Amino acid sequence: HSFFPSCLLIEEERHVRANDRNYNDKFFYADNHIKTSKYNVFTFLPINLFEQFQRVANAYFLVLLILQLIPEISSLPWVTTTVPLVMVLVITAVKDATDDYFRYKSDQQVNNRQSQVLRGVLQNEKWMNVRVGDIIKLENNQFVAADILLLSSSEPYGLCYIETAELDGETNLKVRQALTVTSELGADILKLAEFNGEVICEAPNNKLDKFKGTLYWRGSKFPLDNEKMLLRGCVLRNTDWCFGMVIFAGLQTKLMQNCGRTTLKRTSIDKLMNTLVLWIFGFLVCMGVILAIGNTIWEQEVGRSFQVYLPWERPVSNNNAVFSGFLTFWSYIIILNTVVPISLYVSVEVIRLGHSYFINWDGKMYYGQKDTPAEARTTTLNEELGQVEFIFSDKTGTLTQNIMVFNKCSINGNTYGDVYDEFGHKVEVSERTACVDFSFNPLSDRKFTFHDSSLVEAIKMEEPSVQEFFRLLALCHTVMSEEKNEGDLLYQAQSPDEGALVSAARNFGFVFRSRTPETITLYEMGTAVTYQLLAILDFNNVRKRMSVIVRNPAGQTKLYCKGADTIIFDRLDPSNEDLMDTTSEHLNEFAGEGLRTLALAYKVLDRDFFEEWMTRLLLASTVMENREQRLADLYEEIETGLLLLGATAVEDKLQEGVPETIACLTLANIKIWVLTGDKLETAMNIGYSCNMLRDDMNEVFIISGHTAAEVQQQLRSAREHILGLSRVSNTADEEKTEMFSNDSVFEETIIAEYALIVNGHSLAHALEPELEQVLLETACLCKTVICCRVTPMQKAQVVELVKTNKMAVTLAIGDGANDVSMIRTAHIGVGISGQEGMQAVLASDYSFAQFRYLQRLLLVHGRWSYFRMCNFLFYFFYKNFAFTLVHFWFGFFCGFSAQTVYDQWFITLFNIVYTSLPVLAMGLFDQDVNEANSHRYPGLYRPGQLNLLFNKRQFFLCTLQGIVTSFLLFFVPYGAFSLGVRADGLHLSDQQSFAVTIATFYFICLFYCFCLRSCYCIGLDTYYWTAVNHLFVWGSLAVYFAILLAMQSDGLFSIFPSQFPYIGTARSCLAQWSVWLVILLTTAVCVLPGMAVRFLKTDLYPTLTDKVRRLQKASRKQGPREQNLRRVRRTSSRRSGYAFSHQQGYGELITSGKNMKVVHLHLAPSDKVRALCKQVRDGLAPTSEERAPF
Amino acid sequence: MMASSYNAKEEDGHVAVPVGGTIKNKKPDNTAFKQQRLPAWQPILTAGTVLPAFFVIGLIFIPIGIGLYVTSNNIREFEIDYTGTDIDDPCFNCSQSFSWNNTRPCTCALDFSLDHPFESNVFMYYGLSNFYQNHRRYVKSRDDSQLNGDINSLKNPSKECEPYARNEKAPIAPCGAIANSMFNDTLDLYYVHPNGTRIQIPLSKKDIAWWTDKHVKFRNPGNNPNLTAAFQGTSKPINWRRPVYELDTDEENNGFINEDFIVWMRTAALPTFRKLYRIIQKKNNMTPTLPRGNYTLEVSYNYPVRSFEGRKRVILSTISWMGGKNPFLGIAYITVGSVCFFLGVVLLIIHHKYGSRNNSADIPN
């Protein structure tokens, strides 16, 4: 509808008037109808054909077709190329059409969603009928239909909550707030229908976090920003309803504007294939030239005098043999076209599609808990999975579950959390370990598990320090609670650590029940206690702690503080020294187990001191100048002389099997780099628990310089350190170093293990062009590389750096929106599905639910895919060479006249019908080594990384073998049949018999190759015969003979005498003993040398694959052995990260009460404090939040 | 900015399940096919399988080869070249004075003697060398519809037949270069009795073409028993002396279904070839078909080959179950068999000396 004009005009500014269709229609804005499908019924054929003929191979065959229409050149009837070409085109077109149909269906589904539109009254409309300027009503948990301006909502202050998972992958709720003027409209339909404000704003763009506009209403101007917009793709949460005005619709929404075409990824095999096809073209032209020269000479020497029986054609007749040669060149180009395999691309795609299905079907990559199977979202990259050398992994949500578990604690010098058996030995905690019974506490969270019952006993004994410990956990936080039903508490925590701690306190009887801006209500061992919340001294990255100041019902004012141990320890009262030492020991222990720790402390405040301090805080918060600093100083002042309570240890739960997977992938010589937005400490911590960092590593380099020079210096020294040391260690095997002076090999000879940890700000410098080489070199010398505090952009840059400089296949795996850039950049992107949002999954090529499936994806599916694809290509090229080159040899005996050896029908059907299925079966089902062994011997992955199975050398080998086979195929029958005679004396050496016999030889020989699995393609054929292989192989053979006999039957001949002139030939030939004897001979000659070579190779120099295969066969009956890759608990003295991943500014939101729905004041605080608090609130209100970088 | 719900996925799950839609379990089917666990046969090349294979192949091939060689050697074959390139050759004159316009055939006679009697049926072939029946332009220069008796094609020969499609407006039947160049020497064989009398040996021209060719592929146009009428309005090929309906007097062997013609039309694959000309039937079990002694071959020399240095031969041959004389196959079998056997021995030695018999111990993990 509006398509045409909006194309012509470039929109610079958007004017939208609410409830005024006529006005808005003038601008021809896009409506809310989306269309991602490419074709419709009428455009499909022309567009699709046009696209298909852009492929070189297809275009080539079109040219051939045209050449064949020239009678002087045509050496083959036009059907021979048309039939395969049409089949290829049809297969591709069907695939494109189905893809497009599914896109159309999903468009339809989205377009037909219902939404409530205000047209005087509220009425239901389909999404596609929503227009710019409409006012629509959204209800809780509904998808936002278009980009709308929030007008009013059910919540106070016109707030509403949205989840933006589909947009940016973040699952935490975000707040949007309507303008005050519009929020007053409320749900009043009449007022809303009268609303006629006009919005003037920016033109559609793809910036998700920016919006600029102005609302003109009732003569005033109101500025609009992104905080007032609800974007398409978001989901309304925790808000009963809201009204909004549509600003951008359909394709102009920010979501759709962001759906850029992803760049098509190509595998290295693809590129190699294209190069090879070009080479084959070259080869083809060379042969054509040789044969054309041969033809010129022949016509000159022989053909000239043979004119008695075969006069020259008119164009040649003026004594010009050169011209005849020229024509012959083209004729041979047509005949030899089968060396350029037209069905190659289609077959490759079919194979890849099959492999993708195998990934989708894999039950071992299905995650039952979330009901997510693995998914191959791209079908073109499978074989590259077998060649990965670098993995770039995100941390949160990928390696870890992003679930924090309260694991251990130290209270007043006692540790809790370990389980001991009756002999006092520590017991490894497992699934079966008995859990503590929390039934005494009706408000407990049933999902919470804890194994050490002594802590519960301590609680029941009402030990004061333990009580204070959990009271602190229940009070000092920014968690919001939601209680839908009585006792059904739901905590919304800003960071998972906090959630874990508050949940722990809840279970141990200190239940955080509800909060208001000024109070916190706890249920302490079943009794409700309401504390006045006097101040929240918020967390930030410098302070590394947070405190709350509360007054208990007894009137005591207390400061509770939790934070990084080092920071807390500095602020302790001197009397705490002994306790500090024991706690410190415990902290080391916790850290050694890879737990995230926090130290807890409290302090009783003197009432007068506090009120004096509060006054100063108020003063400081109203000052414009230097406010932050002055607040920090004040915080510092009050957070001194603390009394230590203990420490918590939270486990950042790794996903299942992560360390084992990493160990296994490392054995497969895959380098794993962790790129995380998290803090250095957290990242290192995870590094340790994943076994990527170990204490026995020679050195862990931390690059954290702030200037380019510093970074360079640090990188250089690290590199020199490594090289210097390794040189010493290498003197022992001097020869080795000499032998492999090659850089990459040298890298691997370094025995010592190093780790490199780069901080985000250093990475920014290190990624500059001058330094990136140093970074890369240093990083590649290290076993482990971890980059922390990395922005999404930097993630992509690191991947790009390795991708371009190392010529290695890279794989990026992540789960969040911040990983999208990395996933798109890497050769292969993997998304963890079933976690935060969908963004990463949508951008990815493969997705599954658990990191550990990566091992299966690479070592089993990847390896098989690569192996199968290589075998397939080898075999495919080989068979085509062997098939086609027979014409070359025949050229020498037919006066280089471009006469075909085979029947035209054989040529036509050869690639598509006769030989495609067995080769496809091989490409789909072949397995050299079974899956268990693929896992057990990660060394089997090596050939893929080195690209050994199919490269240019292999291609030459297969060309050579093809040439030899074609030579034998031609000359053995030549020797046997040049004067051949049938058993009844009739001659047998005629053209047609020759054609049929050679074709049959070729065919049977090819199948012997399959059967004896060796032939000339040394070791590269079916290793693995399933029923499908049998069916396809024998089926093809049967089909061959069936078609052969049918084509040469009387019936077909009588209908089309000139199309099927081979009548009776097959019957006549195949009835001859001598023909079968020659077939046997030819096959033996073709197969045996290869078999001998292959045997010698496996016998004398067996590859790992050969050994494993033998072992596999030997141990088939024994059943698989258990793989013993148990997780080794590390012992470490390193200080672990503290458990805080907060954003600043959250405390203010709580004290301002903005995010609270119902304000019930249970207890009236003293007026003074209330006033103070309010003033603090107002003074602080609009500060900019410090957003933690990703 | 708002709180991320702790462990949110498990609690509200934000599963936007369509209302009323049942949650379908997405677990992949656990079938052998989908899990790639199809039972499979997986052959492995080991000394235990490869070495016996070589020996067995060797042991099978050598006897076959010997059998073939002996069979081939037992076949009697006699070949005589009558091109007449040398001045001493009886046919030299004929070959020199050749022209297509000769109305009187040039005849010449060659004497030869057979040292061994030919016991069974003897097949008489003519052989041509350096004759490119497999040239692309030659091969396609025919009209199979016409030869199949299609009236339409008879009147309008295919373009493929050019330049032998029409002779001054009249369509040529049979058209094309193949038909035009049909071999037209006449060969007669005489046994010279020791007493000096020449006995003509009866040559059968029946059953020299493939059955399918004679009965299916080639048919005379129309159902008209009168071939002259059937071929009315067509012209004879330019090089032919007689029209196609006068090739033979026998109704069953005339026109397109003349067997000599059919044999010629089945083009040879290689430039040196032989085609069946006549069969000499064995008369009884007592006397050999061709006894030892002297013979005369009388040639009416019509077919010129001198211009392109072609050769013409006559071959007399007996036949075995595997066809004509062909030592190649026997020798090849023997060679391949011996090589196989030899390879087996060599591989056995190598395997014993250097082969890896322990295979699992050294797998690095």
Side-chain angles (χ1 to χ4, degrees), chain A residues 91-130:
Chain A
I91 292 172
T92 318
V94 166
K95 183 174 164 278
D96 288 350
T98 15
D99 285 355
D100 206 56
Y101 177 70
F102 284 119
R103 277 196 292 268
Y104 168 78
K105 287 289 272 188
S106 89
D107 286 352
Q108 281 291 300
Q109 195 236 323
V110 171
N111 282 332
N112 287 329
R113 282 190 193 158
Q114 293 290 324
S115 77
Q116 299 179 55
V117 181
L118 188 66
R119 299 260 158 81
V121 287
L122 274 178
Q123 56 188 67
N124 278 336
E125 275 279 13
K126 287 178 180 167
W127 273 29
M128 58 184 183
N129 296 331
V130 172

Side-chain angles (χ1 to χ4, degrees), chain A residues 173 309 313 361 363 366 371 493 868 893 897 927 976 983 985 989-991 1013 1023 1025 1061 1077 1099 1111 1146, chain B residues 1-4 25-26 35-36 41-42 45 125 134 136-137 217 266-267 269 304 319 326 333 351 356 360:
Chain A
L173 298 183
Y309 296 122
E313 279 175 290
W361 286 334
Y366 166 78
D371 191 29
R868 289 166 181 170
F893 295 91
S897 61
Q927 293 180 12
S989 63
D990 69 285
Q991 175 76 38
R1013 63 145 232 102
Y1023 278 121
W1025 280 73
L1077 282 172
D1099 203 40
L1111 189 73
Y1146 211 76
Chain B
M1 190 177 80
M2 188 49 208
S4 74
N25 192 350
K26 288 188 223 145
Q35 301 307 321
Q36 304 196 57
W41 170 59
Q42 196 168 20
L45 280 189
Y125 301 93
N134 59 3
R136 179 169 60 89
R137 282 188 282 116
K217 197 170 176 185
R266 186 158 276 278
T267 54
I319 284 294
N326 191 357
Y333 261 95
H351 176 67
S356 55
S360 58

Side-chain angles (χ1 to χ4, degrees), chain A residues 662-678:
Chain A
I662 288 179
C664 186
L665 292 177
T666 313
L667 282 177
N669 206 34
I670 301 173
K671 296 196 174 70
I672 303 174
W673 294 19
V674 174
L675 308 178
T676 172
D678 234 320

Side-chain angles (χ1 to χ4, degrees), chain A residues 667-668 934 936-943 1104, chain B residues 364-365:
Chain A
L667 282 177
S934 302
R936 196 183 306 157
Y937 304 105
L940 291 171
Y941 196 73
R942 197 83 184 108
L1104 184 58
Chain B
N365 205 338

Side-chain angles (χ1 to χ4, degrees), chain A residues 72 74-75 161 172-173 175 237 298-299 302 305-306 308-313 331 358 360-363 366 371 373 403-404 447 490-494 503 861 864 868 890 893-895 897-899 925 927-928 936-937 972 974-976 978 981-987 989-994 1013 1023-1026 1050 1053 1057 1061 1063-1065 1068 1073-1074 1077-1078 1080-1081 1084-1085 1088 1092 1094-1096 1099-1100 1104 1107 1109-1113 1116 1146 1185, chain B residues 1-7 10-11 14 16 24-28 33-47 50-51 53-54 57 61 64 68 100 123 125 131-132 134-140 144-145 148 163-164 177 181 207-210 212 216-217 239 263 266-272 274-276 303-304 307-308 319-324 326 328-329 332-333 336 340 343 347 350-351 354-356 359-360 362-365:
Chain A
E72 279 76 24
S74 172
S75 43
Y161 302 96
N172 51 343
L173 298 183
V175 186
R237 295 278 186 212
W298 187 87
E299 290 288 351
V302 184
S305 43
F306 192 59
V308 216
Y309 296 122
L310 186 63
W312 282 354
E313 279 175 290
S331 305
F358 281 132
N360 293 347
W361 286 334
D362 194 336
Y366 166 78
D371 191 29
I403 293 177
M404 300 297 167
K447 268 174 259 160
L490 194 69
Y491 290 146
Q492 295 214 318
Q494 195 195 5
S503 295
H861 288 286
W864 280 349
R868 289 166 181 170
F890 188 55
F893 295 91
C894 69
S897 61
Q899 173 61 32
F925 302 111
Q927 293 180 12
D928 54 342
R936 196 183 306 157
Y937 304 105
V972 172
Y974 172 80
S978 56
V981 165
R982 301 196 336 184
D984 57 0
L986 274 55
H987 64 285
S989 63
D990 69 285
Q991 175 76 38
Q992 294 184 341
S993 309
F994 203 62
R1013 63 145 232 102
Y1023 278 121
Y1024 195 77
W1025 280 73
T1026 65
D1050 308 354
F1053 175 79
I1063 168 173
T1065 314
S1068 157
W1073 274 102
S1074 48
L1077 282 172
V1078 176
L1080 183 62
L1081 180 72
V1085 169
L1088 288 174
R1094 171 78 185 141
F1095 169 72
L1096 278 182
D1099 203 40
L1100 300 183
L1104 184 58
K1107 290 180 195 168
R1109 277 161 59 82
R1110 257 187 247 174
L1111 189 73
Q1112 192 169 305
K1113 186 157 195 182
R1116 188 159 293 162
Y1146 211 76
E1185 307 130 24
Chain B
M1 190 177 80
M2 188 49 208
S4 74
S5 65
Y6 161 61
N7 215 350
E10 278 160 35
E11 270 135 16
H14 66 89
K24 209 182 132 204
N25 192 350
K26 288 188 223 145
K27 187 176 170 62
F33 175 72
K34 288 189 172 182
Q35 301 307 321
Q36 304 196 57
R37 278 189 277 101
L38 286 177
W41 170 59
Q42 196 168 20
I44 298 178
L45 280 189
T46 57
V50 173
L51 296 179
F54 272 92
I57 291 173
F61 271 37
I64 294 180
L68 285 173
W100 287 111
F123 295 82
Y125 301 93
F131 190 102
Y132 284 84
N134 59 3
H135 195 284
R136 179 169 60 89
R137 282 188 282 116
Y138 186 87
V139 170
K140 69 174 184 179
D144 280 309
S145 310
N148 192 231
Y164 299 110
S181 57
D207 294 334
I208 56 172
W210 290 17
T212 42
V216 184
K217 197 170 176 185
N239 287 358
V263 166
R266 186 158 276 278
T267 54
L270 296 164
T272 299
R274 52 172 74 163
K275 285 178 186 289
L276 187 56
Y303 203 70
S307 63
F308 56 93
I319 284 294
S320 72
W321 58 271
M322 53 156 284
N326 191 357
F328 172 87
L329 207 53
Y333 261 95
V336 171
C340 250
L343 255 179
L347 290 182
I350 292 177
H351 176 67
Y354 311 102
S356 55
N359 36 38
S360 58
D362 53 343
I363 297 179
N365 205 338

Side-chain angles (χ1 to χ4, degrees), chain A residues 402-406 445 448 473-474 476-480 490-507 512 562 598 650 1139-1142, chain B residues 3-8 11:
Chain A
N402 209 16
I403 293 177
M404 300 297 167
V405 177
F406 178 80
D445 180 0
F448 183 85
L473 291 183
C476 180
H477 56 78
T478 56
V479 174
M480 301 289 297
L490 194 69
Y491 290 146
Q492 295 214 318
Q494 195 195 5
S495 75
D497 306 79
E498 270 206 327
L501 292 176
V502 179
S503 295
R506 168 182 171 182
N507 273 45
F512 164 63
K562 65 176 181 187
L598 276 181
V650 171
F1140 243 133
S1141 51
H1142 257 195
Chain B
S4 74
S5 65
Y6 161 61
N7 215 350
E11 270 135 16

Side-chain angles (χ1 to χ4, degrees), chain B residues 3-240:
Chain B
S4 74
S5 65
Y6 161 61
N7 215 350
K9 298 116 210 170
E10 278 160 35
E11 270 135 16
D12 68 0
H14 66 89
V15 219
V17 183
V19 188
T22 47
I23 304 173
K24 209 182 132 204
N25 192 350
K26 288 188 223 145
K27 187 176 170 62
D29 304 337
N30 188 15
T31 57
F33 175 72
K34 288 189 172 182
Q35 301 307 321
Q36 304 196 57
R37 278 189 277 101
L38 286 177
W41 170 59
Q42 196 168 20
I44 298 178
L45 280 189
T46 57
T49 54
V50 173
L51 296 179
F54 272 92
F55 287 121
V56 166
I57 291 173
L59 290 177
I60 294 175
F61 271 37
I62 295 175
I64 294 180
I66 293 171
L68 285 173
Y69 189 73
V70 171
T71 318
S72 173
N73 267 1
N74 283 341
I75 292 170
R76 298 260 174 262
E77 191 178 281
F78 180 82
E79 184 172 318
I80 182 165
D81 188 317
Y82 70 93
T83 323
T85 39
D86 271 346
I87 197 139
D88 305 333
D89 287 343
C91 293
F92 180 72
N93 282 335
C94 284
S95 75
Q96 291 300 307
S97 64
F98 177 79
S99 112
W100 287 111
N101 302 329
N102 273 3
T103 42
R104 200 174 46 84
C106 173
T107 51
C108 49
L110 289 89
D111 295 328
F112 64 93
S113 62
L114 295 177
D115 299 336
H116 302 280
F118 283 39
E119 295 289 347
S120 57
N121 284 354
V122 176
F123 295 82
M124 185 174 176
Y125 301 93
Y126 60 89
L128 293 174
S129 298
N130 212 19
F131 190 102
Y132 284 84
Q133 254 206 324
N134 59 3
H135 195 284
R136 179 169 60 89
R137 282 188 282 116
Y138 186 87
V139 170
K140 69 174 184 179
S141 188
R142 64 192 285 160
D143 187 341
D144 280 309
S145 310
Q146 191 191 47
L147 298 174
N148 192 231
D150 188 72
I151 301 287
N152 207 13
S153 299
L154 186 74
K155 302 290 178 213
N156 297 298
S158 152
K159 256 176 60 199
E160 303 283 358
C161 287
E162 294 288 355
Y164 299 110
R166 283 170 184 281
N167 187 8
E168 294 164 357
K169 299 276 170 70
I172 294 177
C175 73
I178 309 177
N180 188 53
S181 57
M182 183 179 155
F183 181 79
N184 58 357
D185 282 357
T186 316
L187 306 165
D188 286 310
L189 195 61
Y190 296 93
Y191 175 60
V192 185
H193 203 267
N195 64 17
T197 49
R198 282 197 342 170
I199 306 161
Q200 180 160 20
I201 296 169
L203 301 175
S204 156
K205 53 187 170 185
K206 236 176 111 58
D207 294 334
I208 56 172
W210 290 17
W211 188 90
T212 42
D213 284 359
K214 168 103 180 169
H215 294 96
V216 184
K217 197 170 176 185
F218 290 79
R219 259 189 290 169
N220 280 321
N223 295 320
N224 200 338
N226 184 355
L227 284 183
T228 322
F231 286 100
Q232 187 71 46
T234 62
S235 161
K236 72 174 174 65
I238 293 157
N239 287 358
W240 286 22

